[in-house]
Amino acid sequence: MLTEKPARDVLRITLLGTGIPNPQINAFGTSTLVEAGDERVMIDCGRGTVIRMSQVGLGVGHVGTIILSHYHSDHFAGIFDMAMTGSIPQKFGGRNGPLQVYGPPGIQEIADGAWQATGPDRAIRVADNEIDPEHMRIVPHEYVEGVVYDRGGLVIRAIEVDHGEFIRPAYAFRVEYAGHVFVHSHDTRYNENLIAQAQGADVFVHEVAAARPETIANYPAVKVAIDHHATPTDVGRVFAQTKPKLAMLTHLVLLKPNPVLIGDVMDELSTEYDGTVLVAEDLMTIQIGRNVSVIPYRHGGKQSGMV
Ligand SMILES: [Zn+2]
Ligand SMILES: [Zn+2]
């Protein structure tokens, strides 16, 4: 069981979702919970985020700040559930204010659209005197590369990456607290800017994509997907040039038919990088303090004292 708050001077990261757009029960859309001191911030909010939150004992209202990396659905489809369910004044909801969402340009349209789309639910609950309508609002904050969040010693920095020409800008994040550093690539190709700004990471979580040559040749959609991401060789080069204490793979784009096996991904990656590499799973908790520990869900589970 995890404690309600991380220990003093510990940066605690919970990988709520490690998946891609394909619906999978074991890998929901990307979502990462960052906890440090009194701060709690979520980076990305993919499909099923509120379910994963409940699995770690957090009501929907326990997170009031979300930072979005880019606007593929697997990274923000969950914010509408956060906005609506979080406004319900029950233990499973209970956000006593609007939801603050930071994003690249486009966040204003998402906030405006969400306000319109959630209107029918809001009208019912306001008529029932159930909710304060303002608690269902998404307050948009547009950010550029650099510091997005700086509060209580927790600093979250956006790093512009390259996720393809029609997805600009897209961001990775460098999270710093008490001298500890966590970096998450989010979605990107091999990227020099990320390598430059991921130096000194304790833990570096990077996406990866692979498909067999015949699959790429025969399926145009697979080629498009692969072109937006980093190959195992690319990721090996990134880790070799940044030398994190711990390297992890997430957001595994291993496309059908006949997907590349994870063992083959690791073999290819190892041609460039000779360090330890873990495969991220939903609900894994990473604690970065005096050492780095990775706690699978079955050993962590619910935070004590929460819902
Ligand atoms: Zn994605
Ligand atoms: Zn993407």
Side-chain angles (χ1 to χ4, degrees):
M1 186 174 278
L2 299 169
T3 52
E4 188 176 333
K5 283 184 186 172
R8 203 171 148 262
D9 294 341
V10 168
L11 173 59
R12 187 165 76 187
I13 306 291
T14 301
L15 303 172
L16 295 173
T18 62
I20 58 176
N22 312 33
Q24 301 171 84
I25 188 67
N26 294 322
F28 285 8
T30 295
S31 179
T32 304
L33 185 64
V34 176
E35 295 171 291
D38 294 327
E39 302 302 311
R40 182 181 288 135
V41 175
M42 182 180 283
I43 303 180
D44 277 352
C45 188
R47 174 195 301 123
T49 295
V50 304
I51 303 287
R52 293 298 190 226
M53 287 176 71
S54 82
Q55 286 179 277
V56 297
L58 292 177
V60 179
H62 283 111
V63 170
T65 303
I66 300 174
I67 302 172
L68 300 179
S69 65
H70 68 293
Y71 298 132
H72 270 142
S73 59
D74 51 319
H75 297 259
F76 80 102
I79 63 165
F80 308 101
D81 205 353
M82 289 286 292
M84 287 189 282
T85 308
S87 73
I88 300 172
Q90 301 280 346
K91 258 192 163 180
F92 64 83
R95 183 183 56 249
N96 294 315
L99 186 60
Q100 308 292 330
V101 183
Y102 295 73
I107 194 63
Q108 179 75 53
E109 287 94 320
I110 288 172
D112 291 347
W115 183 253
Q116 186 179 357
T118 58
D121 177 42
R122 189 166 53 249
I124 295 165
R125 295 184 190 281
V126 168
D128 272 339
N129 282 323
E130 188 185 3
I131 67 163
D132 178 334
E134 285 302 310
H135 295 179
M136 204 182 278
R137 187 181 290 283
I138 290 176
V139 178
H141 304 270
E142 191 175 304
Y143 69 80
V144 294
E145 181 167 72
V147 174
V148 179
Y149 189 90
D150 183 355
R151 204 172 300 163
L154 175 66
V155 179
I156 303 178
R157 203 177 293 275
I159 302 167
E160 190 163 354
V161 292
D162 175 13
H163 189 24
E165 66 172 311
F166 303 119
I167 320 165
R168 296 190 202 284
Y171 292 97
F173 294 94
R174 179 184 177 101
V175 178
E176 298 179 14
Y177 180 75
H180 310 308
V181 180
F182 169 80
V183 179
H184 194 311
S185 72
H186 292 86
D187 290 12
T188 183
R189 299 162 167 166
Y190 175 86
N191 185 253
E192 296 282 357
N193 190 38
L194 176 57
I195 291 168
Q197 298 197 52
Q199 298 296 324
D202 294 293
V203 177
F204 190 176
V205 179
H206 203 293
E207 66 119 88
V208 68
R212 296 180 192 282
E214 59 272 23
T215 309
I216 294 172
N218 293 332
Y219 296 86
V222 169
K223 184 174 181 351
V224 169
I226 292 292
D227 283 347
H228 286 85
H229 297 283
T231 67
T233 304
D234 290 336
V235 180
R237 289 168 65 206
V238 172
F239 287 155
Q241 292 173 80
T242 50
K243 297 185 176 58
K245 278 188 199 159
L246 178 65
M248 297 176 81
L249 295 181
T250 190
H251 197 281
L252 307 180
V253 184
L254 305 177
L255 296 167
K256 294 176 181 173
N258 194 17
V260 175
L261 302 176
I262 188 67
D264 294 333
V265 169
M266 290 298 190
D267 285 347
E268 186 184 324
L269 192 157
S270 74
T271 61
E272 297 287 341
Y273 182 62
D274 62 5
T276 301
V277 182
L278 297 188
V279 178
E281 286 182 6
D282 282 21
L283 295 165
M284 253 180 187
T285 296
I286 303 162
Q287 298 201 129
I288 310 174
R290 255 192 96 194
N291 67 1
V292 174
S293 57
V294 178
I295 305 168
Y297 180 59
R298 66 182 181 279
H299 295 294
K302 286 212 169 195
Q303 300 191 4
S304 57
M306 306 300 264
V307 293

